[in-house]
Amino acid sequence: MATSCSHDGVTVKHDPIDFGGQVTKTTATLSAPTGTYDIVETYSYVIPTLASTEKLQPLDDLYAKYKDQYKLGDLSPSMLQGMSYDGKLYALPMQAQMFVMAYRSDVFSELGLAVPTTFDEMAAAAEKIKAAGLMQYPIALPWLATADITTGFQAAMNSLDADFVDDSGAVTIESDAGEKALNAMLALKPYMDPQVTTFDQPKVQQQLYNGTAAMAIMFSGRMTDLTKPENTSLSDSFAFAAPPKVSADAPYAYDRLSIDGWSIPFNTSIDHDLLFTLMAASVSEDASKASVPAAYPAREGLVTESNTPYGKAANESIASAMPTVVSPHLADISNAITPVLAKVINGELSVSDGLAQMQSLGEQIVG
C-alpha cells in the first residue's frame, strides 16, 4: 500500500509497528492541538468514539470529489458504512479482518472428525484428539488477559445476538447472553493451554506451527502465515472454515468483523486533498489486488477460494457475523471490563460476580 501511493514526487515511508504501539501513537497524536501524524489507521470499532469526540476529519466531500478518479465506488458499501458515524464518513476502508477457524486437516482426517460448527462440537473434537494421544491441548485461542480476551467475550455475545450495549445504548453485559457467553468460553478452557490468558495471536500461531494445537480461531490476517513452508513444516496440513457458533441455537457465529481504514486527524496542517489522494491511491485496484492473499481488501469481489487459501472461509465468516452495534462507548467499555473478565476466565471470580462488576463498569461509562 505504501508503494502504491509513492509516486509523482511523493514517497510514503511506513515503519511496521505492533498493535499496542499503534494505539499508543494514535492516542498521543490525537490528544493535542498539534499532532505528530497526518494520516492515522483507524478501525470500525473506534470510529464512533473518535468521531463523536471530533478527533477525525469528515471525508464525505473528499470522497465525492475523488470517487470517480480513484474508482472508490468499488469499495464495499458495508465497509464504508462501518467507517461511518452519525451519517458521516470518517475513514476510507482498506481491508477487513474477520474471525476464521484454522484446523489440522490431517488430524481431523485421521480421526474421522467433522469440522466443528458449535463450541460443543469443538470440545468433542478436542476430547477425541486428546484421547488419541495426539495433543494435550488441541484448542488454541488468543485470550490475552490485557486485550484479546475481551474481543473473545464480545464475539461470544455476538454469536448470541447481543453485545456490551444494545441499539438503544443500554449496557447489556449482565444478561442471559452474557452468562451463556462466559460459560461457553469456560467450557473450552480445559482443552486449551493453562496459560491461555497470556497468549496473543502470534502465540496462537506458534502453537499451530509447533503442532501443539489442532484448532484455532483468529483474525483472518493471521491465516496466510500458516500456509508458508518457511514458517512451519505443517504448512500443507492446515485447512480453514468459518468460525463456529457458541451453541446450536445461536443465530450467529463466534465472530468479530473489524474494518481497517485511513483517517485524517483533526489536527494535521497538511492539505486534506493531498492526504486523501494518498489514501485513495493506497486502496486503488492495483494496490488491493497486490494485497491478496495476505489481506482481505475493501474492494468487493477480490478475495476468492481460488486466490486465497482462507477465501471461502472468510466470505462465509462475513456472512455469518452479527450486524455491528454502533456505539461511542464500546471501546471504553471493553478497556474497562478487561481486568474483571480475565479474573472470571482465570477462575478468580465467579461468573455472576464478574457479570455484575462488568455491568456496573459499563453503566458508569455510559452514564
Side-chain angles (χ1 to χ4, degrees):
M1 287 179 171
T3 300
S4 297
C5 57
S6 294
H7 55 77
D8 296 334
V10 175
T11 299
V12 175
K13 296 181 180 179
H14 175 259
D15 297 319
I17 187 172
D18 64 16
F19 181 74
Q22 181 183 342
V23 170
T24 299
K25 289 190 173 186
T26 300
T27 301
T29 202
L30 294 176
S31 64
T34 303
T36 305
Y37 299 97
D38 303 301
I39 294 174
V40 294
E41 183 178 2
T42 49
Y43 308 89
S44 50
Y45 191 58
V46 300
I47 286 292
T49 300
L50 297 178
S52 63
T53 54
E54 299 183 344
K55 297 296 186 182
L56 304 177
Q57 175 71 26
L59 303 178
D60 301 87
D61 292 344
L62 291 167
Y63 177 86
K65 182 177 181 179
Y66 292 104
K67 179 180 179 181
D68 293 338
Q69 180 178 346
Y70 289 94
K71 298 181 180 178
L72 301 178
D74 292 338
L75 297 176
S76 164
S78 62
M79 290 196 203
L80 286 166
Q81 182 63 35
M83 305 308 276
S84 301
Y85 177 72
D86 199 22
K88 295 181 180 179
L89 180 68
Y90 285 94
L92 200 61
M94 58 167 169
Q95 66 169 337
Q97 299 264 352
M98 67 295 297
F99 277 4
V100 169
M101 171 182 277
Y103 65 96
R104 286 280 299 279
S105 58
D106 56 336
V107 171
F108 273 62
S109 178
E110 178 183 343
L111 299 180
L113 302 175
V115 179
T117 61
T118 66
F119 272 26
D120 282 346
E121 291 176 4
M122 277 187 75
E127 188 65 46
K128 291 181 179 179
I129 293 170
K130 285 184 66 174
L134 299 180
M135 296 172 191
Q136 187 175 5
Y137 303 114
I139 297 176
L141 297 176
W143 283 359
L144 182 66
T146 56
D148 303 80
I149 196 169
T150 315
T151 305
F153 180 38
Q154 190 172 26
M157 287 192 68
N158 287 173
S159 180
L160 299 164
D161 196 20
D163 209 314
F164 300 157
V165 299
D166 60 22
D167 289 329
S168 71
V171 180
T172 54
I173 297 175
E174 191 176 22
S175 61
D176 182 57
E179 182 179 1
K180 287 181 178 178
L182 276 184
N183 283 324
M185 293 173 71
L186 289 169
L188 292 185
K189 195 180 174 190
Y191 304 102
M192 295 188 281
D193 189 292
Q195 299 186 67
V196 63
T197 54
T198 69
F199 289 175
D200 55 10
Q201 292 190 98
K203 275 283 188 70
V204 170
Q205 282 181 308
Q206 200 62 50
Q207 287 178 278
L208 294 172
Y209 292 160
N210 295 341
T212 56
M215 292 173 276
I217 302 171
M218 295 179 287
F219 276 118
S220 55
R222 298 287 174 176
M223 297 299 146
T224 298
D225 288 345
L226 300 176
T227 67
K228 295 179 178 179
E230 61 267 30
N231 290 338
T232 172
S233 61
L234 299 170
S235 59
D236 291 334
S237 301
F238 293 110
F240 306 95
K245 296 179 177 181
V246 164
S247 61
D249 59 350
Y252 301 107
Y254 172 81
D255 208 350
R256 287 298 298 162
L257 178 62
S258 176
I259 305 165
D260 297 9
W262 303 120
S263 294
I264 299 176
F266 78 101
N267 52 9
T268 179
S269 60
I270 303 297
D271 178 68
H272 291 174
D273 279 68
L274 171 60
L275 296 176
F276 188 86
T277 56
L278 291 174
M279 290 155 51
S282 78
V283 298
S284 67
E285 186 173 6
D286 288 343
S288 298
K289 286 181 178 179
S291 72
V292 176
Y296 191 103
R299 288 183 176 267
E300 289 194 303
L302 293 187
V303 175
T304 66
E305 185 176 0
S306 61
N307 65 18
T308 304
Y310 63 89
K312 183 174 184 290
N315 290 328
E316 290 178 352
S317 175
I318 290 178
S320 61
M322 172 185 157
T324 302
V325 173
V326 179
S327 168
H329 302 300
L330 277 175
D332 290 337
I333 291 174
S334 294
N335 291 333
I337 69 173
T338 297
V340 178
L341 178 61
K343 289 182 178 180
V344 176
I345 297 300
N346 282 327
E348 302 170 28
L349 197 63
S350 70
V351 169
S352 59
D353 287 345
L355 289 171
Q357 289 186 27
M358 290 188 285
Q359 178 76 18
S360 177
L361 289 169
E363 291 175 349
Q364 290 174 37
I365 290 169
V366 171

